[in-house]
Amino acid sequence: MTTPQNPNFAAIDAVVAQAAAAADFWADSSATQRATLLRGLADALEQQQAELVVIADRESGLGEARLNGEVARTAFQLRGFASEVEAGVPYRQVEDHAVAGAPPAGRPRLTRVQRPLGPVAMFSASNFPFAFSVLGGDTASALAAGCPVVIKPHSGHPELSRAVFALAAGVVRAQGLPAGLLTLAEAPNRAAGTYLVQHPSIAAVAFTGSYQGGKALWQAANDRERPVPFFGELGSINPLVALPAVLEKDSEALARTLAGSITLGCGQFCTSPGVVVLLDSPHSQRFVAQLAEAIAPIATHRMLTPGMQQGFEAAAATVAANATSVFAPQADGAGPSPRLFATDAVSFIANAHLREEMFGPAALIVTANSVAQAAEVLEAIGGTLTTTLWGLDADNTDNRQLLRAAQRVSGRVLFSGVPTGVAVCHAQQHGGPWPSSTAPQSTSVGFAAIERFLRPVALQEAPTWVLG
Ligand code: NAP
């Protein structure tokens, strides 16, 4: 495929050309080659963990404990995808033997195989400087699928991105692999990011970030002469429904747990619970008071970037103008003080401003007068990564209605606990209907993430050498 000549973006042209040159080699690479690379990257990351965490903390303010945990998660993902490759996941074949006779009963021999899409443009997330950045889940799953990765680093942690990329390039070199398997596309401006998405040699895009940015790049991917798959995670408000029966039992502990989840990482998690749906009852009222008491004094750390803090304050101000503040901001930390707002279900359903993501330590309590109305609240949200349902132990009509609504709008439904903390495993689903994901059939966390970068091809009457 020809590389466009745009003098403004020559550096992007150069790295995409490198990726394109490596694509056939990596598509045909063996499980051993891929697994060795993924494990080598995990080892190298851990070897330089101490230095990298210092840079990450300076740039992100997330704190060493969280960042060390994130390195462990990143290495776990890389090694996990290595195991997937060794188990044959990207190489699996489905075989239909020939059947004599006319169709539909008769058929030729067909073998369904998976082929890697080709070079993937990967937009790092701001809020996971390791686990969703240069060597994060998108990179690991694309490499495992057999795709070179062109990394668009996030402007929130540029020094860390360069340091992690340098160590990764060293591993690629040391293993004698083509440099184009992993390249860094530093984009000096937003036009450069769009240019990368529209580059004819880019075959797919992975993105985690804002609704506005993600939608603009999704549009750019679809405006290409040949649109390409865009796996974007764009924002999520993660409703949590707590029924009175569960609040009657242990509401104080639940309030503390929820306050911790809302403020974790200064609320900068895609799975942060942003809407709490309660039924009108004395148990709910007591829970709101306990939640306010638990969350108000929590001191948060600084947000990832000044822009993100401005975005949070603007989003919180919009909600404040359309709902009631449960308490005046109190905590005095380096980051914004937690907020809790309240409204009723009718207002929430009618007013789109109340359904916008507040990316930070805040939540909106929505009171419904019936289970049916609580289900309508969920339906109004439309698309979210998670919905949490507390108190659905019994099989009854009300609970089935809530479950139906929760499954319709979200990718993961929790029946206990809180949505922050996303396990990396086979059953995981991180992605839901728009706007939480642009591709709700896929997941960006967990081992099924590899499927995003594989395309099925049916081989009919293939000679033996083709099937290997
Ligand atoms: P972002 O502004 O969407 O940026 C993500 C990436 O896309 C960055 O690499 C950015 O480039 C690029 N980009 C953004 N808009 C673009 C455009 N119009 N054209 C080309 N490239 C574009 O997201 P963010 O910086 O991570 O965070 C900003 C807000 O996103 C947060 O305040 C929050 O509301 C939301 N957010 C949500 C989640 C979630 O999972 N729900 C996660 C993170 C952030 P630059 O690096 O040059 O800016």
mmCIF file of all heavy atoms in Angstrom, residues 313-343:
data_model
loop_
_atom_site.group_PDB
_atom_site.id
_atom_site.type_symbol
_atom_site.label_atom_id
_atom_site.label_comp_id
_atom_site.label_asym_id
_atom_site.label_seq_id
_atom_site.Cartn_x
_atom_site.Cartn_y
_atom_site.Cartn_z
ATOM 1 N N GLU A 313 -14.569 20.019 36.860
ATOM 2 C CA GLU A 313 -15.286 21.133 37.508
ATOM 3 C C GLU A 313 -16.445 21.603 36.616
ATOM 4 O O GLU A 313 -17.529 21.911 37.112
ATOM 5 C CB GLU A 313 -14.327 22.304 37.801
ATOM 6 C CG GLU A 313 -13.254 21.996 38.840
ATOM 7 C CD GLU A 313 -13.796 21.730 40.249
ATOM 8 O OE1 GLU A 313 -15.004 21.926 40.487
ATOM 9 O OE2 GLU A 313 -13.009 21.294 41.110
ATOM 10 N N ALA A 314 -16.204 21.630 35.314
ATOM 11 C CA ALA A 314 -17.265 22.085 34.397
ATOM 12 C C ALA A 314 -18.427 21.093 34.407
ATOM 13 O O ALA A 314 -19.609 21.479 34.469
ATOM 14 C CB ALA A 314 -16.708 22.242 32.988
ATOM 15 N N ALA A 315 -18.102 19.782 34.385
ATOM 16 C CA ALA A 315 -19.165 18.766 34.379
ATOM 17 C C ALA A 315 -19.936 18.798 35.692
ATOM 18 O O ALA A 315 -21.183 18.712 35.714
ATOM 19 C CB ALA A 315 -18.562 17.378 34.146
ATOM 20 N N ALA A 316 -19.213 18.957 36.810
ATOM 21 C CA ALA A 316 -19.878 19.003 38.120
ATOM 22 C C ALA A 316 -20.752 20.260 38.224
ATOM 23 O O ALA A 316 -21.849 20.214 38.800
ATOM 24 C CB ALA A 316 -18.833 18.965 39.240
ATOM 25 N N ALA A 317 -20.273 21.362 37.645
ATOM 26 C CA ALA A 317 -21.060 22.601 37.699
ATOM 27 C C ALA A 317 -22.358 22.442 36.901
ATOM 28 O O ALA A 317 -23.419 22.935 37.307
ATOM 29 C CB ALA A 317 -20.238 23.765 37.160
ATOM 30 N N THR A 318 -22.282 21.738 35.791
ATOM 31 C CA THR A 318 -23.488 21.505 34.989
ATOM 32 C C THR A 318 -24.497 20.685 35.787
ATOM 33 O O THR A 318 -25.697 21.001 35.822
ATOM 34 C CB THR A 318 -23.131 20.760 33.679
ATOM 35 O OG1 THR A 318 -22.196 21.558 32.975
ATOM 36 C CG2 THR A 318 -24.343 20.504 32.822
ATOM 37 N N VAL A 319 -24.012 19.635 36.438
ATOM 38 C CA VAL A 319 -24.933 18.810 37.232
ATOM 39 C C VAL A 319 -25.469 19.631 38.410
ATOM 40 O O VAL A 319 -26.669 19.589 38.716
ATOM 41 C CB VAL A 319 -24.231 17.513 37.697
ATOM 42 C CG1 VAL A 319 -25.121 16.734 38.657
ATOM 43 C CG2 VAL A 319 -23.893 16.643 36.484
ATOM 44 N N ALA A 320 -24.585 20.414 39.035
ATOM 45 C CA ALA A 320 -25.022 21.227 40.177
ATOM 46 C C ALA A 320 -26.139 22.182 39.774
ATOM 47 O O ALA A 320 -27.061 22.444 40.558
ATOM 48 C CB ALA A 320 -23.836 22.013 40.741
ATOM 49 N N ALA A 321 -26.067 22.689 38.549
ATOM 50 C CA ALA A 321 -27.079 23.642 38.080
ATOM 51 C C ALA A 321 -28.412 22.957 37.780
ATOM 52 O O ALA A 321 -29.444 23.622 37.660
ATOM 53 C CB ALA A 321 -26.576 24.352 36.836
ATOM 54 N N ASN A 322 -28.383 21.636 37.655
ATOM 55 C CA ASN A 322 -29.601 20.912 37.274
ATOM 56 C C ASN A 322 -30.090 19.941 38.350
ATOM 57 O O ASN A 322 -31.044 19.201 38.132
ATOM 58 C CB ASN A 322 -29.335 20.119 35.983
ATOM 59 C CG ASN A 322 -29.186 21.032 34.772
ATOM 60 O OD1 ASN A 322 -30.173 21.416 34.180
ATOM 61 N ND2 ASN A 322 -27.958 21.405 34.449
ATOM 62 N N ALA A 323 -29.372 19.882 39.494
ATOM 63 C CA ALA A 323 -29.744 18.953 40.572
ATOM 64 C C ALA A 323 -29.460 19.635 41.909
ATOM 65 O O ALA A 323 -29.052 20.793 41.948
ATOM 66 C CB ALA A 323 -28.929 17.661 40.440
ATOM 67 N N THR A 324 -29.664 18.895 43.007
ATOM 68 C CA THR A 324 -29.408 19.449 44.341
ATOM 69 C C THR A 324 -28.068 18.945 44.838
ATOM 70 O O THR A 324 -27.746 17.761 44.676
ATOM 71 C CB THR A 324 -30.497 18.915 45.316
ATOM 72 O OG1 THR A 324 -31.766 19.143 44.723
ATOM 73 C CG2 THR A 324 -30.421 19.593 46.661
ATOM 74 N N SER A 325 -27.282 19.807 45.466
ATOM 75 C CA SER A 325 -26.030 19.355 46.093
ATOM 76 C C SER A 325 -26.370 18.781 47.457
ATOM 77 O O SER A 325 -27.049 19.426 48.253
ATOM 78 C CB SER A 325 -25.053 20.522 46.251
ATOM 79 O OG SER A 325 -24.617 20.940 44.993
ATOM 80 N N VAL A 326 -25.893 17.558 47.726
ATOM 81 C CA VAL A 326 -26.214 16.914 49.013
ATOM 82 C C VAL A 326 -25.430 17.583 50.141
ATOM 83 O O VAL A 326 -25.898 17.667 51.275
ATOM 84 C CB VAL A 326 -25.930 15.399 48.942
ATOM 85 C CG1 VAL A 326 -26.169 14.724 50.284
ATOM 86 C CG2 VAL A 326 -26.795 14.745 47.866
ATOM 87 N N PHE A 327 -24.214 18.051 49.857
ATOM 88 C CA PHE A 327 -23.428 18.796 50.868
ATOM 89 C C PHE A 327 -22.521 19.760 50.112
ATOM 90 O O PHE A 327 -22.255 19.563 48.918
ATOM 91 C CB PHE A 327 -22.604 17.844 51.758
ATOM 92 C CG PHE A 327 -21.700 16.922 50.987
ATOM 93 C CD1 PHE A 327 -20.461 17.348 50.493
ATOM 94 C CD2 PHE A 327 -22.086 15.607 50.733
ATOM 95 C CE1 PHE A 327 -19.637 16.481 49.784
ATOM 96 C CE2 PHE A 327 -21.265 14.748 50.015
ATOM 97 C CZ PHE A 327 -20.039 15.188 49.533
ATOM 98 N N ALA A 328 -22.038 20.756 50.818
ATOM 99 C CA ALA A 328 -21.089 21.695 50.209
ATOM 100 C C ALA A 328 -19.714 21.027 50.181
ATOM 101 O O ALA A 328 -19.361 20.317 51.137
ATOM 102 C CB ALA A 328 -21.035 22.970 51.029
ATOM 103 N N PRO A 329 -18.925 21.214 49.101
ATOM 104 C CA PRO A 329 -17.595 20.591 49.051
ATOM 105 C C PRO A 329 -16.787 20.931 50.302
ATOM 106 O O PRO A 329 -16.785 22.066 50.746
ATOM 107 C CB PRO A 329 -16.969 21.224 47.805
ATOM 108 C CG PRO A 329 -18.123 21.645 46.965
ATOM 109 C CD PRO A 329 -19.223 21.989 47.910
ATOM 110 N N GLN A 330 -16.145 19.901 50.894
ATOM 111 C CA GLN A 330 -15.474 20.112 52.188
ATOM 112 C C GLN A 330 -14.008 19.747 52.185
ATOM 113 O O GLN A 330 -13.189 20.446 52.732
ATOM 114 C CB GLN A 330 -16.104 19.212 53.268
ATOM 115 C CG GLN A 330 -17.560 19.349 53.415
ATOM 116 C CD GLN A 330 -18.106 18.380 54.462
ATOM 117 O OE1 GLN A 330 -17.377 17.653 55.112
ATOM 118 N NE2 GLN A 330 -19.416 18.389 54.619
ATOM 119 N N ALA A 331 -13.671 18.581 51.608
ATOM 120 C CA ALA A 331 -12.330 18.025 51.813
ATOM 121 C C ALA A 331 -11.282 18.963 51.233
ATOM 122 O O ALA A 331 -11.524 19.676 50.267
ATOM 123 C CB ALA A 331 -12.236 16.663 51.163
ATOM 124 N N ASP A 332 -10.094 18.909 51.843
ATOM 125 C CA ASP A 332 -9.040 19.830 51.458
ATOM 126 C C ASP A 332 -7.812 19.023 51.041
ATOM 127 O O ASP A 332 -6.803 18.996 51.723
ATOM 128 C CB ASP A 332 -8.742 20.720 52.684
ATOM 129 C CG ASP A 332 -7.854 21.884 52.283
ATOM 130 O OD1 ASP A 332 -7.753 22.144 51.084
ATOM 131 O OD2 ASP A 332 -7.260 22.493 53.187
ATOM 132 N N GLY A 333 -7.896 18.357 49.899
ATOM 133 C CA GLY A 333 -6.766 17.573 49.409
ATOM 134 C C GLY A 333 -6.087 18.304 48.260
ATOM 135 O O GLY A 333 -6.422 19.442 47.943
ATOM 136 N N ALA A 334 -5.138 17.606 47.617
ATOM 137 C CA ALA A 334 -4.463 18.226 46.471
ATOM 138 C C ALA A 334 -5.372 18.230 45.246
ATOM 139 O O ALA A 334 -5.183 19.015 44.318
ATOM 140 C CB ALA A 334 -3.190 17.453 46.170
ATOM 141 N N GLY A 335 -6.373 17.359 45.254
ATOM 142 C CA GLY A 335 -7.313 17.287 44.131
ATOM 143 C C GLY A 335 -8.650 17.893 44.507
ATOM 144 O O GLY A 335 -8.817 18.422 45.616
ATOM 145 N N PRO A 336 -9.632 17.794 43.622
ATOM 146 C CA PRO A 336 -10.937 18.381 43.898
ATOM 147 C C PRO A 336 -11.649 17.640 45.034
ATOM 148 O O PRO A 336 -11.474 16.435 45.191
ATOM 149 C CB PRO A 336 -11.697 18.199 42.580
ATOM 150 C CG PRO A 336 -10.989 17.092 41.874
ATOM 151 C CD PRO A 336 -9.572 17.120 42.307
ATOM 152 N N SER A 337 -12.450 18.347 45.797
ATOM 153 C CA SER A 337 -13.183 17.676 46.880
ATOM 154 C C SER A 337 -14.352 16.895 46.276
ATOM 155 O O SER A 337 -14.926 17.278 45.246
ATOM 156 C CB SER A 337 -13.673 18.685 47.903
ATOM 157 O OG SER A 337 -14.281 19.746 47.251
ATOM 158 N N PRO A 338 -14.701 15.769 46.885
ATOM 159 C CA PRO A 338 -15.794 14.943 46.356
ATOM 160 C C PRO A 338 -17.126 15.691 46.347
ATOM 161 O O PRO A 338 -17.356 16.562 47.183
ATOM 162 C CB PRO A 338 -15.845 13.763 47.329
ATOM 163 C CG PRO A 338 -14.502 13.721 47.957
ATOM 164 C CD PRO A 338 -14.038 15.142 48.036
ATOM 165 N N ARG A 339 -17.981 15.321 45.420
ATOM 166 C CA ARG A 339 -19.312 15.944 45.306
ATOM 167 C C ARG A 339 -20.371 14.839 45.264
ATOM 168 O O ARG A 339 -20.130 13.760 44.716
ATOM 169 C CB ARG A 339 -19.482 16.755 44.017
ATOM 170 C CG ARG A 339 -18.319 17.580 43.568
ATOM 171 C CD ARG A 339 -18.107 18.833 44.380
ATOM 172 N NE ARG A 339 -16.699 19.206 44.281
ATOM 173 C CZ ARG A 339 -16.174 19.944 43.297
ATOM 174 N NH1 ARG A 339 -16.940 20.409 42.352
ATOM 175 N NH2 ARG A 339 -14.887 20.227 43.284
ATOM 176 N N LEU A 340 -21.523 15.172 45.794
ATOM 177 C CA LEU A 340 -22.670 14.263 45.713
ATOM 178 C C LEU A 340 -23.888 15.117 45.383
ATOM 179 O O LEU A 340 -24.150 16.117 46.066
ATOM 180 C CB LEU A 340 -22.846 13.578 47.075
ATOM 181 C CG LEU A 340 -23.635 12.281 47.121
ATOM 182 C CD1 LEU A 340 -23.028 11.227 46.207
ATOM 183 C CD2 LEU A 340 -23.664 11.745 48.569
ATOM 184 N N PHE A 341 -24.589 14.735 44.335
ATOM 185 C CA PHE A 341 -25.773 15.481 43.916
ATOM 186 C C PHE A 341 -26.979 14.558 43.992
ATOM 187 O O PHE A 341 -26.840 13.334 44.032
ATOM 188 C CB PHE A 341 -25.599 15.999 42.485
ATOM 189 C CG PHE A 341 -24.367 16.842 42.300
ATOM 190 C CD1 PHE A 341 -23.228 16.334 41.691
ATOM 191 C CD2 PHE A 341 -24.343 18.159 42.756
ATOM 192 C CE1 PHE A 341 -22.087 17.105 41.536
ATOM 193 C CE2 PHE A 341 -23.209 18.954 42.605
ATOM 194 C CZ PHE A 341 -22.079 18.421 41.994
ATOM 195 N N ALA A 342 -28.176 15.163 43.968
ATOM 196 C CA ALA A 342 -29.393 14.342 44.030
ATOM 197 C C ALA A 342 -30.453 14.905 43.095
ATOM 198 O O ALA A 342 -30.550 16.124 42.899
ATOM 199 C CB ALA A 342 -29.927 14.325 45.466
ATOM 200 N N THR A 343 -31.218 13.991 42.518
ATOM 201 C CA THR A 343 -32.339 14.385 41.677
ATOM 202 C C THR A 343 -33.373 13.256 41.706
ATOM 203 O O THR A 343 -33.152 12.207 42.324
ATOM 204 C CB THR A 343 -31.871 14.688 40.240
ATOM 205 O OG1 THR A 343 -32.933 15.304 39.524
ATOM 206 C CG2 THR A 343 -31.452 13.415 39.502
#
